[in-house]
């Protein structure tokens, strides 16, 4: 089981603010890094699957970077909107498939 | 295309009773996973099926949990007898390929054991 740390644990920003979170994971035996967005009572929604060191992916206002050598990934949200409020989870898979989730960063965006 | 579905969405049972959770993966996805989130903790891996075969059940907490995937389609997860610490949200996910492939999650079954 991999030790995955996410910070901050929670975040409260105003609409329009840009924000970012960190996911730290062991850099040895790296397979991939998954980011999910999860609203309570709904399905966790896949945002990105990142595999290569230096990878940078973007989906709308959300983007992510990956550093496999030092074992971290950043998730950025540009111009946060209230609908971005959710818990953002990162998960490096163990042996390529079983996801090891961090505790997540809970984001609240207020108008 | 229908996503991953789970039934029931909620279940409240008493300690010692049996509960069976069901997961229907996305059609054509050979890989099916069960995960669990206990309140305040991370989502934890329970087990992985490839078609009807269990590939990895290293995350199953104990022998009160039994997962099946007869015919390689839907899967069930039975808890018998349920204990208080089994309360949590049970997620199912499916994927096409196994390695590094996006896993599509269902909405989960919230299990409460009283």
């Amino acid at each position: 089981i991999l030790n995955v740390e996410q910070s901050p644990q929670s975040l409260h920003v105003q609409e329009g603010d840009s924000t970012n979170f960190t996911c730290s994971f062991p850099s040895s035996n790296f397979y991939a890094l998954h980011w999910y967005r999860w609203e309570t009572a709904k399905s966790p929604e896949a945002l990105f699957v990142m595999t290569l060191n230096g990878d940078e992916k973007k989906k709308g206002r959300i983007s992510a970077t990956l550093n496999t050598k030092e074992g971290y990934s950043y998730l950025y949200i540009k111009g946060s909107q209230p609908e971005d409020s959710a818990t953002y989870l990162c998960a490096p898979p163990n042996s390529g498939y079983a996801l090891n989730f961090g505790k997540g960063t809970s984001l609240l965006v207020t108008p | 295309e229908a996503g991953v579905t789970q039934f029931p969405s909620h279940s409240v049972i008493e300690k010692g009773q049996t509960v069976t959770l069901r997961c229907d993966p996305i059609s054509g996805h050979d890989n099916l996973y069960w995960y669990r989130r206990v309140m305040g903790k991370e989502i934890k891996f329970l087990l992985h099926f490839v078609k009807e075969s269990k590939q990895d059940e290293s995350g199953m907490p104990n022998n009160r949990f039994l997962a099946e995937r007869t015919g390689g389609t839907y899967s069930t997860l039975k808890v018998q007898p349920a204990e208080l610490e089994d309360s949590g949200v049970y997620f199912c996910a499916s994927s096409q390929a196994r390695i590094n492939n996006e896993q599509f999650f269902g909405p989960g079954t919230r299990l409460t054991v009283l």
Side-chain angles (χ1 to χ4, degrees), chain A residues 94-111:
Chain A
N94 178 28
S95 302
Y97 54 86
L99 298 179
N100 284 273
F101 284 92
K103 289 188 176 181
T105 293
S106 179
L107 173 67
L108 176 63
V109 184
T110 51

Side-chain angles (χ1 to χ4, degrees), chain A residues 4-86:
Chain A
V4 182
E5 300 287 338
Q6 290 192 248
S7 63
Q9 185 176 4
S10 64
L11 199 53
H12 181 187
V13 302
Q14 296 295 312
E15 182 176 358
D17 288 349
S18 293
T19 187
N20 65 84
F21 331 127
T22 304
C23 171
S24 301
F25 51 89
S27 56
S28 58
N29 297 320
F30 177 81
Y31 292 91
L33 195 286
H34 295 238
W35 278 101
Y36 282 85
R37 177 182 181 279
W38 179 42
E39 292 181 67
T40 305
K42 294 186 178 180
S43 306
E45 173 196 354
L47 292 173
F48 307 112
V49 180
M50 308 178 80
T51 55
L52 300 175
N53 184 43
D55 237 358
E56 186 168 338
K57 296 211 171 183
K58 188 174 180 183
K59 185 186 250 187
R61 293 178 293 99
I62 305 176
S63 61
T65 61
L66 178 67
N67 183 322
T68 61
K69 294 183 178 179
E70 296 182 39
Y72 65 83
S73 176
Y74 293 139
L75 187 81
Y76 301 90
I77 302 179
K78 184 178 177 182
S80 302
Q81 299 296 309
E83 58 264 31
D84 295 329
S85 298

Side-chain angles (χ1 to χ4, degrees), chain B residues 55-107:
Chain B
Q55 289 294 111
D56 181 355
E57 50 185 331
S58 61
M60 295 287 261
N62 50 60
N63 59 11
R64 294 185 295 102
F65 289 75
L66 175 64
E68 294 181 323
R69 193 182 181 196
T70 307
T73 53
Y74 71 90
S75 174
T76 58
L77 180 64
K78 182 163 72 174
V79 185
Q80 179 183 29
E83 298 288 344
L84 299 179
E85 64 265 24
D86 300 333
S87 296
V89 181
Y90 290 77
F91 290 102
C92 175
S94 71
S95 69
Q96 286 185 313
R98 184 176 64 168
I99 301 295
N100 296 340
N101 200 239
E102 180 178 341
Q103 294 183 22
F104 295 85
F105 277 74

